[in-house]
């Protein structure tokens, strides 16, 4: 899928929002991708994740044996990408502020992991997820995401395969442009949920 095709799916779902948003990274942005609206449509989710799975298969020389995603935002695309690739889908959750495998999920040193995220902005959640996986002895081959908001600048510590890149401005709270500062901020993401 092209960048325009991916963004058209977000627009069609009413998921490409404009305003003043507090991202899970803490940065502020005039654009927010409300992927939950995309994931509410199984056919749209399947289409995007099928394309992501195809891109992963084409770009990785060694194929993964399992997919792991960070909760909450990565669970749906992780599951659907795993389904498209015929793999198991696990996820890590925060416990005492740290990502960990729970619910009886286990990884071994033989596992070759693909991390699947929804949106990458700074790569912080990705790096934390990857560290938790590596602590089990498993190997993380790469990370895949639907949208890389950093435009290829985020360092997740492993190769990053994005279905598309969509660079939008993001600012620290104390460095807002006047037009963004004039709009009340909302925090639509999931970081900080119990």
């Amino acid at each position: 899928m092209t960048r325009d095709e991916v963004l058209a799916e977000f627009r069609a779902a009413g998921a490409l929002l404009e305003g003043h948003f507090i991202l899970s990274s803490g940065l502020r942005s005039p654009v927010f991708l409300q992927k939950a609206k995309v994931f509410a449509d199984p056919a749209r989710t399947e289409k995007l994740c099928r394309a992501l799975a195809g891109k992963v298969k084409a770009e990785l020389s060694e194929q993964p044996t399992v997919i792991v995603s960070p909760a909450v935002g990565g669970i749906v695309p992780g599951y659907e990408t795993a389904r498209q690739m015929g793999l198991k889908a696990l996820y890590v959750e925060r416990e005492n502020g740290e990502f960990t495998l729970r619910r009886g999920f286990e990884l071994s040193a033989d596992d070759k992991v693909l991390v699947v995220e929804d949106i990458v902005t700074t790569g912080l959640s990705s790096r934390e997820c990857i560290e938790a996986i590596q602590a089990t002895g498993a190997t993380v081959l790469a990370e895949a995401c639907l949208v890389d908001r950093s435009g290829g600048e985020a360092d997740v510590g492993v190769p990053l395969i994005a279905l598309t890149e969509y660079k939008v401005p993001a600012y620290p709270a104390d460095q807002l442009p006047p037009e963004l500062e004039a709009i009340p901020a909302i925090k639509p993401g999931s970081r900080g949920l119990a």
Side-chain angles (χ1 to χ4, degrees):
M1 295 180 78
T2 67
R3 177 180 176 270
D4 288 343
E5 290 170 331
V6 172
L7 293 179
E9 293 295 334
F10 276 80
R11 278 190 193 92
L16 188 58
L17 309 177
E18 294 182 355
H20 180 179
F21 304 100
I22 302 171
L23 306 177
S24 62
S25 63
L27 296 174
R28 307 294 182 93
S29 179
V31 176
F32 186 76
L33 299 170
Q34 183 53 277
K35 60 268 178 186
K37 287 187 164 192
V38 172
F39 300 151
D41 181 341
R44 180 170 279 119
T45 302
E46 179 182 11
K47 181 178 183 179
L48 290 167
C49 293
R50 184 181 332 107
L52 182 60
K55 191 167 184 179
V56 166
K57 288 178 185 177
E59 291 192 18
L60 287 182
S61 57
E62 184 176 10
Q63 294 301 303
T65 59
V66 63
I67 287 179
V68 178
S69 300
V72 170
I75 293 175
V76 172
Y79 173 84
E80 184 58 31
T81 303
R83 192 176 77 83
Q84 295 296 323
M85 296 179 76
L87 300 174
K88 286 192 338 185
L90 312 180
Y91 55 89
V92 293
E93 301 174 75
R94 290 190 189 275
E95 187 173 70
N96 300 319
E98 304 286 324
F99 275 131
T100 188
L101 288 168
R102 299 181 61 224
R103 303 178 194 277
F105 291 152
E106 294 179 347
L107 293 169
S108 74
D110 295 331
D111 285 313
K112 307 294 183 211
V113 178
L114 173 68
V115 173
V116 174
E117 257 279 29
D118 47 7
I119 312 290
V120 170
T121 300
T122 65
L124 175 62
S125 291
S126 300
R127 289 188 301 275
E128 292 172 344
C129 178
I130 289 165
E131 288 171 9
I133 294 164
Q134 290 171 332
T136 70
T139 300
V140 179
L141 299 176
E143 174 165 348
C145 66
L146 294 177
V147 180
D148 175 3
R149 283 181 50 117
S150 79
E153 295 173 10
D155 177 10
V156 300
V158 296
L160 178 61
I161 302 166
L163 185 56
T164 196
E165 292 180 0
Y166 181 49
K167 178 95 170 138
V168 290
Y171 309 94
D174 62 352
Q175 296 177 20
L176 298 177
E179 64 275 11
L180 198 56
E181 201 169 63
I183 304 169
I186 60 171
K187 185 175 182 179
S190 62
R191 184 173 290 182
L193 293 179

